[in-house]
């Protein structure tokens, strides 16, 4: 079956522009995560959704970052007034149901590579 | 200091070699330990998953967890050029309400023919 898909795969933005990154999780997966991966680093947690509820947004770097998942399926990560330090790969992952803790496998999408000039 | 430390390498080995990858961590709450493999311009994919201390083997891969030393390892036997990738250790704290992953920096591995 289809895995996690993300679009666009690449995005170049001028500093100050707003961007929106889309994630389509695996069908039926209720848990969805966003991670940020800087060059040469491991992914870092941004935010977590259980269905449409955003239960943890403690990893969002600033109030310029906003994520939503209004119908409990597709999710969008929005970055307002982009800065050069926002340049990174943004990864989306989904799992069947992570509400019981660490036992569920997270399946990652290919990521969106964002470059802010 | 980061919660999870991983030597970034790079590590270069000949085909057929045994590869050892390691991570240390500081958070004693970590209970779930994973190894992910990430090819260039792809997302991470789960290789091995271990709960608490112990060993786990899957084909050419063996994962070890030593909670007393806060140290985890991944061994790859008979390494192949197709194993060339970045290997990420990742951990989840027990008692959390969901599976938030904390990753190491990743080790770049190249297996040359």
């Amino acid at each position: 079956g289809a895995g996690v898909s993300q679009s666009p795969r690449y995005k170049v933005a001028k500093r100050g522009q707003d961007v929106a990154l889309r994630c389509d999780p695996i069908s039926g997966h209720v848990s969805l995560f966003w991670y940020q991966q800087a060059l040469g680093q491991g992914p870092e947690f941004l935010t977590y959704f259980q269905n449409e509820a955003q239960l943890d947004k403690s990893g969002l770097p600033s109030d310029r970052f906003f994520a939503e998942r209004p119908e409990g399926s597709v999710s969008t990560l929005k970055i307002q007034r982009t800065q050069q330090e926002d340049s990174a790969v943004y990864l989306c992952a989904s799992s069947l149901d992570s509400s019981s803790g660490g036992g569920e496998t997270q399946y990652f999408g290919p990521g969106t590579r964002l470059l802010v000039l | 200091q980061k919660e999870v430390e991983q030597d970034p390498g790079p590590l270069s080995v000949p085909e057929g070699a045994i590869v050892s990858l390691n991570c240390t961590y500081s958070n004693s709450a970590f209970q779930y330990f994973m190894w992910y493999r990430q090819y260039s311009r792809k997302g991470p994919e789960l290789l091995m998953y271990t709960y608490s201390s112990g060993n786990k083997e899957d084909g050419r891969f063996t994962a070890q967890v030593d909670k007393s030393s806060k140290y985890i390892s991944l061994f790859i036997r008979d390494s192949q050029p197709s194993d060339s990738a970045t290997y990420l250790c990742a951990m989840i704290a027990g008692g959390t309400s969901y599976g938030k992953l904390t990753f190491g920096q990743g080790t770049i591995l190249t297996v040359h023919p």
Side-chain angles (χ1 to χ4, degrees), chain B residues 37-52:
Chain B
R37 178 174 62 196
Q38 186 174 28
Y39 290 114
S40 180
R41 302 189 183 274
K42 302 285 187 183
E45 57 175 333
L46 183 65
L47 270 180
M48 300 287 286
Y49 162 80
T50 309
Y51 172 69
S52 198

Side-chain angles (χ1 to χ4, degrees), chain A residues 38-49:
Chain A
L39 188 65
Q41 301 295 317
E44 292 196 357
F45 170 81
L46 293 177
T47 188
Y48 163 70
F49 289 86

Side-chain angles (χ1 to χ4, degrees), chain A residues 10-81:
Chain A
Y10 302 91
K11 177 70 178 178
V12 179
K14 292 183 179 178
R15 192 170 48 147
Q17 280 185 332
D18 297 349
V19 298
L21 313 179
R22 177 187 169 108
C23 172
D24 283 81
I26 294 172
S27 178
H29 280 195
V30 301
S31 299
L32 186 144
F33 300 79
W34 284 97
Y35 295 86
Q36 179 190 58
Q37 186 173 24
L39 188 65
Q41 301 295 317
E44 292 196 357
F45 170 81
L46 293 177
T47 188
Y48 163 70
F49 289 86
Q50 185 72 5
N51 293 302
E52 69 278 4
Q54 187 176 20
L55 299 184
D56 188 340
K57 53 182 181 180
S58 62
L60 297 176
S62 74
D63 58 9
R64 296 186 296 104
F65 286 71
F66 172 77
E68 61 183 3
R69 194 186 184 198
E71 297 179 359
S73 178
V74 171
S75 177
T76 303
L77 176 67
K78 297 178 180 178
I79 309 173
Q80 297 176 324
R81 304 181 304 281

Side-chain angles (χ1 to χ4, degrees), chain B residues 35-107:
Chain B
W35 286 94
Y36 281 83
R37 178 174 62 196
Q38 186 174 28
Y39 290 114
S40 180
R41 302 189 183 274
K42 302 285 187 183
E45 57 175 333
L46 183 65
L47 270 180
M48 300 287 286
Y49 162 80
T50 309
Y51 172 69
S52 198
S53 282
N55 295 357
K56 187 171 185 178
E57 187 173 321
D58 184 1
R60 297 184 295 111
F61 299 89
T62 299
Q64 291 184 348
V65 174
D66 182 350
K67 290 189 68 181
S68 63
S69 302
K70 296 190 176 67
Y71 186 87
I72 71 169
S73 301
L74 177 70
F75 298 94
I76 307 174
R77 291 183 298 280
D78 188 25
S79 56
Q80 302 296 308
S82 58
D83 295 328
S84 299
T86 297
Y87 289 79
L88 296 154
C89 62
M91 305 177 189
I92 298 174
T96 58
S97 59
Y98 63 96
K100 167 185 162 182
L101 289 164
T102 301
F103 284 90
Q105 182 177 354
T107 300

